[in-house]
Amino acid sequence: MFELIKGDEGPRLGKLTLPSGTVVRTPLFMPVATKLSVKAIDPIQLALTGTEAIITNGFLSHLEPGSAVLKDAGGIGRFMGWGGGVFSDSGGFQFIRKGFDAVVNDKEVRLRSPFSGEKVAITPESVVDFHCMHGVDVGMVLDHCPPFSSTAEQIMDSARRTVLWARRSMERIRSLPEGTCPDGKEKPMIFGITQGGTDPSQRSECTSDLVRLGMDGYGIGGLSIGEDKEDTFRSLAASTSLLPIDKPRYFMGVGEPSDLIRSVSLGVDIFDSVFPTRNARHRSLFTRQGRENVRGPAWKGNSLPIMERCDCMTCKKFSRGYIHHLFKAEEPLAATLSTIHNIRYMQLLIMGIRAMISEGPFSGSTSVNDVLDVALSEQ
Ligand SMILES: [Zn+2]
């Protein structure tokens, strides 16, 4: 299902054929649709940004609208009117958010539902079940992501539990009969998630144990949660160097453009982040100057687009001055137009990275603007 077109250990180009038949190219950037919506834009606008896949949250989807509703609707893609690829996180990352009051043991996790306030138990097996019922293309296993402040002992315990749960997840997906997924869809691909904090030996051991399970792909989790950036990349390299070349590698929750470039150079194929959408809703727009606040002096009454030469619908039709006005007037269209641009910016970045890998050596220290220039010159 994953075909490498160029590269192996370092920067690579690939093609991932998903169970739904959708083909996505790697490197791939996925906007986040936690509650089955990429905030502020609809799936038609989303497709026009060049987005090929999205990621949803399995636990929250299971609670609302519920797995049975999603199965009856033909799966998440059909339910939300999205024709591209659908990845789903387990919801395990919620462990480190205080409001969910997670209680974890080897058997299960109990989390507080943000909808009803009641405690709900999930297990590695139930997560696989609801990925199937939701008809997603790729389901992430339930993993145990320790908070940044964890002790070495806690990190070791969470890595052990992550491997135990991954093994149970693979046993579950293999035992489920055909017909578990909606409309006769194939079962989802199941990706493991490496843990182990920033301790190289823990990271390596957890990664090697997961590889032995023969999973369909591998997420690199538990990083970018507050640690020093050099620790992040050292741990990332420790993970990717042990992952099989012929399986996709997914660095979860990374969207800062320069981090994405550096991660690609270390052999990462897939990314997701709320970075472009959250920034857009908070008046922070991506340009060649980095992130610009719409309140700044360069915006009011300015007739130029957000970013010159950008080919997104917002930049083609609307000015900086209009976006500034919409935010000031608190019009919902402000978030929509800003989100369209920020996501397109990320997809231009990915297009530029793909073109540079295709044409020659690609360095992790390549500047963001140089990558953008390549993408814009290919328009
Ligand atoms: Zn634009």
Side-chain angles (χ1 to χ4, degrees), residues 25 32 63 70 75 81 84 89 186 190 201 218 222 253 276 285 302 309 354 364 366:
R25 294 167 292 172
V32 177
L63 296 177
L70 290 171
D89 195 2
E186 281 184 34
I190 298 293
S201 65
Y218 296 90
L285 293 180
N302 191 324
R309 293 164 63 211
R354 287 180 192 149
T366 307

Side-chain angles (χ1 to χ4, degrees), residues 176-294:
L176 281 178
E178 295 300 331
T180 310
C181 304
D183 286 350
K185 277 192 178 139
E186 281 184 34
K187 294 184 208 175
M189 300 170 80
I190 298 293
F191 281 24
I193 302 175
T194 71
Q195 291 292 345
T198 52
D199 180 316
S201 65
Q202 283 298 323
R203 223 357 103 179
S204 300
E205 193 177 325
C206 182
T207 305
S208 302
D209 287 347
L210 291 176
V211 169
R212 276 192 281 277
L213 297 176
M215 311 189 80
D216 297 317
Y218 296 90
I220 297 124
L223 295 175
S224 282
I225 54 172
E227 74 280 4
D228 179 83
K229 198 158 266 192
E230 290 313 307
D231 283 340
T232 307
F233 284 99
R234 206 184 56 243
S235 305
L236 175 64
S239 285
T240 54
S241 64
L242 293 171
L243 290 172
I245 284 167
D246 59 350
K247 297 285 175 72
R249 295 111 172 244
Y250 169 18
F251 192 9
M252 304 178 73
V254 171
E256 174 78 46
S258 56
D259 290 349
L260 210 134
I261 290 170
R262 197 167 166 189
S263 304
V264 165
S265 77
L266 294 171
V268 175
D269 305 301
I270 302 171
F271 302 88
D272 78 283
S273 176
V274 296
F275 187 72
T277 45
R278 183 172 288 165
N279 270 286
R281 295 195 310 282
H282 291 89
R283 304 167 183 243
S284 173
L285 293 180
F286 300 169
T287 71
R288 298 182 63 86
Q289 281 69 49
R291 275 178 275 164
E292 286 190 57
N293 191 305
V294 177

Side-chain angles (χ1 to χ4, degrees), residues 32-287:
V32 177
T34 302
K35 294 181 183 170
L36 309 186
S37 160
V38 174
K39 289 190 193 309
I41 68 170
D42 69 44
I44 299 163
Q45 294 164 322
L46 184 63
L48 291 173
T49 64
T51 294
E52 297 179 18
I54 55 166
I55 181 151
T56 63
N57 182 305
F59 172 62
L60 294 180
S61 304
H62 172 64
L63 296 177
E64 188 59 50
S67 297
V69 168
L70 290 171
K71 186 173 182 185
D72 286 347
I76 281 177
R78 193 171 298 165
F79 183 66
M80 61 180 279
W82 169 247
V86 178
F87 283 52
S88 180
D89 195 2
S90 67
F93 192 67
Q94 319 293 357
F95 292 4
I96 61 175
R97 292 195 180 163
K98 285 198 175 71
F100 286 85
D101 295 340
V103 179
V104 186
N105 58 43
D106 282 356
K107 179 170 163 259
E108 64 184 18
V109 188
R110 296 185 74 80
L111 294 160
R112 189 170 301 287
S113 163
F115 302 107
S116 68
E118 290 171 5
K119 281 275 188 154
V120 181
I122 55 172
T123 64
E125 291 82 2
S126 68
V127 166
V128 168
D129 290 355
F130 56 64
H131 284 327
C132 288
M133 290 180 76
H134 300 172
V136 301
D137 289 303
V138 175
M140 307 305 294
V141 292
L142 184 67
D143 66 323
H144 188 194
C145 177
F148 171 57
S149 55
S150 300
T151 63
E153 198 176 327
Q154 287 168 327
I155 288 169
M156 194 190 301
D157 197 46
S158 74
R160 174 197 62 78
R161 186 171 290 129
T162 291
V163 173
L164 170 75
W165 286 355
R167 184 174 299 118
R168 282 167 50 187
S169 304
M170 292 309 287
E171 286 167 4
R172 185 66 168 190
I173 192 75
R174 286 167 183 150
S175 72
L176 281 178
E178 295 300 331
T180 310
C181 304
D183 286 350
K185 277 192 178 139
E186 281 184 34
K187 294 184 208 175
M189 300 170 80
I190 298 293
F191 281 24
I193 302 175
T194 71
Q195 291 292 345
T198 52
D199 180 316
S201 65
Q202 283 298 323
R203 223 357 103 179
S204 300
E205 193 177 325
C206 182
T207 305
S208 302
D209 287 347
L210 291 176
V211 169
R212 276 192 281 277
L213 297 176
M215 311 189 80
D216 297 317
Y218 296 90
I220 297 124
L223 295 175
S224 282
I225 54 172
E227 74 280 4
D228 179 83
K229 198 158 266 192
E230 290 313 307
D231 283 340
T232 307
F233 284 99
R234 206 184 56 243
S235 305
L236 175 64
S239 285
T240 54
S241 64
L242 293 171
L243 290 172
I245 284 167
D246 59 350
K247 297 285 175 72
R249 295 111 172 244
Y250 169 18
F251 192 9
M252 304 178 73
V254 171
E256 174 78 46
S258 56
D259 290 349
L260 210 134
I261 290 170
R262 197 167 166 189
S263 304
V264 165
S265 77
L266 294 171
V268 175
D269 305 301
I270 302 171
F271 302 88
D272 78 283
S273 176
V274 296
F275 187 72
T277 45
R278 183 172 288 165
N279 270 286
R281 295 195 310 282
H282 291 89
R283 304 167 183 243
S284 173
L285 293 180
F286 300 169
T287 71

Side-chain angles (χ1 to χ4, degrees), residues 255-262 275 286-291 307 345-346 348-353 356 362-376:
E256 174 78 46
S258 56
D259 290 349
L260 210 134
I261 290 170
R262 197 167 166 189
F275 187 72
F286 300 169
T287 71
R288 298 182 63 86
Q289 281 69 49
R291 275 178 275 164
M307 185 170 83
Y345 177 101
M346 296 303 295
L348 282 170
L349 193 74
I350 287 289
M351 284 167 55
I353 290 171
M356 289 176 96
F362 180 77
S363 158
S365 58
T366 307
S367 83
V368 172
N369 282 343
D370 284 352
V371 176
L372 282 175
D373 280 339
V374 169
L376 292 168

